Amino acid sequence: MACVACGSETKAGVLMCKRCLEGILDPLSLLTRLGDPTADLRLQQLGSAMMRIGPVASSGLEFGEGVEPALRLRRLADKEEHAQLRSLVEEYLASAGLALHLWGDERLPRRAFLWRLVDEVGPLDLRGEMWARASVRMGNLYSLMVLAVSELPVDDSWRADFIKDSASSALSLYSRAKEHRPLWRVAQSNTAMLRAWTGRTEDSLRILDELASFRVDKETMHFSLKRAMVLCDAGRHDDCLEELARIPEELMDARTKRFRAQLEARR
Amino acid sequence: MTDVDLEARLDARLVRTIKEMGPEAYRALMAQLLQRMGLKVTAAALTDDVAFLEGEREGAKYLVMASRRPEHASEEGVRIAKEKAMAEGRAPVLILAHAVDGRTTDLAAREEVSLADREKLTLLIRRYELWHQLTKDADQVILEREGSRALPSAVPFDTLVQRADEDLRAGRNREALESLEAAVALKSEHDVAWRMKANAHYDLEEWDEALESVGQALRIRPGDPTTWYMAGVVLHRLGKLDQELQAYEQALRYARRLHPALLNKGATQFALGLREEALRTFDEMLRYYPRDPQALGNRALVLRSLGRDQEALEAYEAQASLHPDDVAALMGKASVLSEMGHLLEAVDAWKEAVAADRKRADLWLRLAQAEKAAGMLDEAKRSYQVAESLDIGLEEARQGEESAEAALSAFQPPSDRSSPREDGLAQKYVDAALLLQALGRSEEALREVDRALEIEPRSATAALRKAGILMDMGRLEEAVPALTPALKESPYPADAALELEAISYRMGRRDEGVRVLKPHLEDPEARKRTALAEASAGRPEAALELLGLPEGRDLSHDRLRALALMSKGDHAQSSELLAKLSKAYGPSPQLLNDLAVSLRMENRLEEAEEALERAIEAEPRYPDAWNNLGCLHYLQGAFEEGERAFKEAILLDRRPAFMLHLGMAQLARDDLDAAEASFGSALRLEASAEALNCLGIVAERRKDNARALELYEEALKRAPEFRDAQYNKARAKAALKVG
């Protein structure tokens, strides 16, 4: 085989060599479901309402450009204004569609600043629930990278290193939720997804089992769905359907219903 | 002093003002003059110092060439005016800001070119009552420039200075110096004359003399920041960098935001090796001028010298984002990427630079070098060839091309990959395309994905990937058919629909995009985009029907919902939602700002003000929040506070709406001159119906109903449905009749 980028020799089944892979500046470009950046911009520009006074020909309310996050980040980081930095990061990640729960089929917008932001602020050790939430979101981004890269036919050593680094970053970020109990349960369920994607299905199921036991409610429903997804990926379709059947119809959200429909269609 | 003297001085001032005014203002003045002369102006264009205006009167069509260029005050100018007009089948008119000789007048008469030279122009301006406005503007400029309310007292001195000024503008520095020597002999304590003298010496590269004159100006007025700035510039020429730095510091002591002084201070610190200090200066400058490309570029340069490449890269990116064609920023970005060893990204960046200016051989050369470094030998060879064709003597390009050629001939293509009929091969090609796309090599990625489609023409994954690559390359028309298989076969059919919608939107076919999304409204993103389209089309109820998710799940969904609620007029609900969001996301300036606007709509002004103060505390460089605070003060009758807030907003971003608001606050304080200046600034930035209407209000307040009517009519030409302008026009008309 040969590297598709430089033509140098590679192992069988390997499409890209380590040297070329290291030339990829934005790892997020390896995600398979990335949304159009201009469509994302349309939704981003919703903020910053602007009042008008005096006689105006059209609407009395307009929308301004708001504050450029990259510049604001630089300034806040320089001044060590942690409260505002936490808020900026949390808001930016949430607006990029990085939810607290991790599923694996997320569609993220193509934003050049997203990876740069996570790379820069991820290591900051700040306190508070907002930072814990932002950290869980950042952890999810690393986990999604693990999932994307684990499926790519690229240089083994590069992939192994990438997965190892990204997974440990994700776990370290998830651990920041420890002191915030409801969030910690979400972070644990995300850890379970990550473990499943790195081949540790049983560990994953055990974590989710613990989280989902004793109660069935809107919160644990998410854990049950994740458990069903892991079972499905492991080829245990009957167990998967059984797990789904534990979720009462009235608690099912759109994602769960869609997943169930897909499973039933396959049978 | 006689009336004749006074008239001559007035004419001189008028001409000087016309020559100095901004190009837009000049065009507007000429249009205004022609309108007052009864000409209906149908089009106006501006090239350098020449305005071309098309006008009609009583069935006759004219092309007016209004020029401030001295070279047009000649027979040549007459010929140009004639040619231009004839080409458009119009009668030629030539208006000049300079005097003409007899031959030019004769030629104009022979060629039937209606001519108004400097003398006639001033006459017309006076006859049509435009002189008052012009001289007031000129006085304001003088006051701003000289910081003094003392008007020139003696005619000879005044004449000398004016003559010197004209000579300086025409590049006749020696003649200017003669006048200025005489002027300072008359008034040795006039700092402006000394400063002009310094200017003349500077242009003549007489640095010591320039320094001496600037020293005199500083002796007379030691607190003048502009003079200190000039001293710095002269000292730079003398190579006295330490003193230069001190001069800029003095300038900034008196005007801490003086743009050129800040810029040069940073540059001098950099030249002195004070890189950290230079960085601080540019940081400070960016606090005042956050969108200043030079400050961003210089900051990037300093960061590079400090080895902070990543930050330098971000600074260049910020600079380029302001002006995507800013070659310097693009070059900076590309150079940093090359230095950082990001070879493929560097190639892309050099391509951007080349796209911004395709005629520069040096850019093509740098692109070729980057391509060669990245192993893209074919591409490198081509780029070297372009560089050489643009600059035939460019030895580096020729040598580079030869070496790329040699490398190409030595290059052996890799052996073919495994047989194309293996299981899952199509997916392999899709993966290859993804990897190449991640490296920014779109053309090659496209080839790979086409191979996948040859094997599996109905592969939704391949179709989506292909569309994505084509969209990246801006080939939108081709991306549409590429997506068709994905609409039916994809495990995520909404993805294909969303991409199609994005393409339709980008191509301006918005309704089509909304239709594509209709079958996929179970997808949250599809719902959001559709809701946004509904809200933008003025159908907030329809938008709200689509935004049914519980709060707190998705921030952009919640923001959109708040917007739709506001548009629907359900401000209590939007305030409640925004309050929840701003609590959940901490001191977010934008959420607090939006909350304040919603609260204001509910008439909860005090709470709105509190929210805005928090927004500004979180982000002092947030122009929208300052503007909103100004509006709130205005609504509460605190016009002075309002004025201050609007000025802060303008300092951060010179938006026409902010200028209009400032004018409204000044109008409320009955400061008609200031209001007029603000509305005028807004008009210069954007020729809007609002600005014209506001200027009409000022004219009406000044009892100049004819002028007011004219302005309202002009506003209504731009926005016929503008209610306020309609009422104002009717009122002005009625007042004129009564009068």
Side-chain angles (χ1 to χ4, degrees), chain B residues 67-79:
Chain B
S67 174
R68 294 191 287 186
R69 290 200 200 163
E71 67 267 33
H72 284 157
S74 63
E75 289 168 277
E76 183 58 22
V78 173
R79 284 190 200 103

Side-chain angles (χ1 to χ4, degrees), chain A residues 36 48 65 75 91 133, chain B residues 291 506 559 584-585 619 624:
Chain A
D36 178 68
S48 213
E65 288 174 16
R75 203 160 50 247
E91 190 185 352
R133 278 208 308 268
Chain B
R291 292 168 155 264
R506 282 209 232 169
R559 271 193 175 155
Y585 290 95
E619 181 50 71
D624 298 342

Side-chain angles (χ1 to χ4, degrees), chain B residues 82-159:
Chain B
K82 169 100 180 180
E83 270 168 30
K84 296 260 182 199
M86 296 317 282
E88 295 195 38
R90 292 171 177 271
V93 180
L94 178 60
I95 300 180
L96 297 164
H98 294 82
V100 295
D101 57 21
R103 285 199 313 196
T104 307
T105 318
D106 291 344
L107 180 69
R110 279 201 308 279
E111 295 288 342
E112 295 183 334
V113 175
S114 307
L115 175 70
D117 67 355
R118 173 187 154 143
E119 195 184 336
K120 181 89 179 284
L121 176 62
T122 52
L123 193 72
L124 289 170
I125 284 173
R126 287 207 268 153
R127 181 187 297 165
Y128 290 101
E129 298 291 325
L130 285 165
W131 66 272
H132 173 72
Q133 182 190 332
L134 263 185
T135 48
K136 188 168 64 54
D137 288 349
D139 282 346
Q140 192 174 341
V141 171
I142 291 170
L143 291 174
E144 278 170 12
R145 197 169 54 203
E146 301 185 0
S148 155
R149 286 197 172 268
L151 290 170
S153 57
V155 179
F157 176 82
D158 218 14
T159 312

Side-chain angles (χ1 to χ4, degrees), chain A residues 80-191:
Chain A
E80 296 192 351
E81 290 192 11
H82 292 158
Q84 286 170 33
L85 187 69
R86 282 191 290 256
S87 164
L88 168 72
V89 177
E90 166 68 346
E91 190 185 352
Y92 187 82
L93 296 174
S95 76
L98 267 168
L100 291 172
H101 271 290
L102 174 70
W103 301 102
D105 60 356
E106 281 80 354
R107 187 197 301 114
L108 297 180
R110 251 175 267 177
R111 289 188 194 174
F113 182 57
L114 185 55
W115 187 254
R116 290 221 310 267
L117 173 91
V118 172
D119 201 32
E120 185 164 342
V121 303
L124 296 177
D125 189 17
L126 307 179
R127 297 271 158 249
E129 188 175 354
M130 196 183 298
W131 190 241
R133 278 208 308 268
S135 297
V136 170
R137 293 186 210 271
M138 289 191 272
N140 289 349
L141 197 61
Y142 280 106
S143 295
L144 287 170
M145 290 310 308
V146 168
L147 179 61
V149 168
S150 66
E151 290 172 348
L152 279 176
V154 292
D155 180 82
D156 289 340
S157 68
W158 181 86
R159 184 172 53 193
D161 287 348
F162 186 93
I163 290 176
K164 196 176 143 198
D165 291 349
S166 301
S168 40
S169 296
L171 292 175
S172 152
L173 288 159
Y174 290 148
S175 71
R176 291 181 186 162
K178 256 181 193 164
E179 289 168 21
H180 310 280
R181 190 167 166 71
L183 185 65
W184 176 229
R185 288 164 67 82
V186 175
Q188 280 178 295
S189 72
N190 295 348
T191 305

Side-chain angles (χ1 to χ4, degrees), chain B residues 49-84:
Chain B
D49 277 333
V50 190
F52 287 98
L53 302 110
E54 291 177 7
E56 292 174 19
R57 187 170 57 186
E58 294 167 5
K61 291 182 174 179
Y62 298 91
L63 181 75
V64 181
M65 173 174 153
S67 174
R68 294 191 287 186
R69 290 200 200 163
E71 67 267 33
H72 284 157
S74 63
E75 289 168 277
E76 183 58 22
V78 173
R79 284 190 200 103
I80 295 171
K82 169 100 180 180
E83 270 168 30
K84 296 260 182 199

Side-chain angles (χ1 to χ4, degrees), chain B residues 238-311:
Chain B
L238 286 163
K240 296 176 177 174
L241 298 190
D242 285 323
Q243 289 177 42
E244 180 192 1
L245 183 58
Q246 284 170 13
Y248 296 137
E249 276 165 357
Q250 283 292 337
L252 293 167
R253 198 178 132 204
Y254 298 110
R256 68 193 168 98
R257 296 181 182 203
L258 190 64
H259 183 280
L262 276 166
L263 196 69
N264 285 6
K265 179 184 168 188
T268 311
Q269 285 168 324
F270 186 65
L272 284 165
L274 305 167
R275 289 179 297 179
E276 293 288 354
E277 289 83 348
L279 188 61
R280 276 199 291 278
T281 302
F282 292 126
D283 280 340
E284 186 189 353
M285 192 171 174
L286 284 167
R287 274 202 294 281
Y288 304 138
Y289 309 99
R291 292 168 155 264
D292 186 274
Q294 285 172 300
L296 283 164
N298 285 1
R299 183 173 178 272
L301 200 66
V302 179
L303 285 165
R304 271 179 81 181
S305 76
L306 287 166
R308 289 158 68 174
D309 287 342
Q310 188 59 42
E311 290 166 77

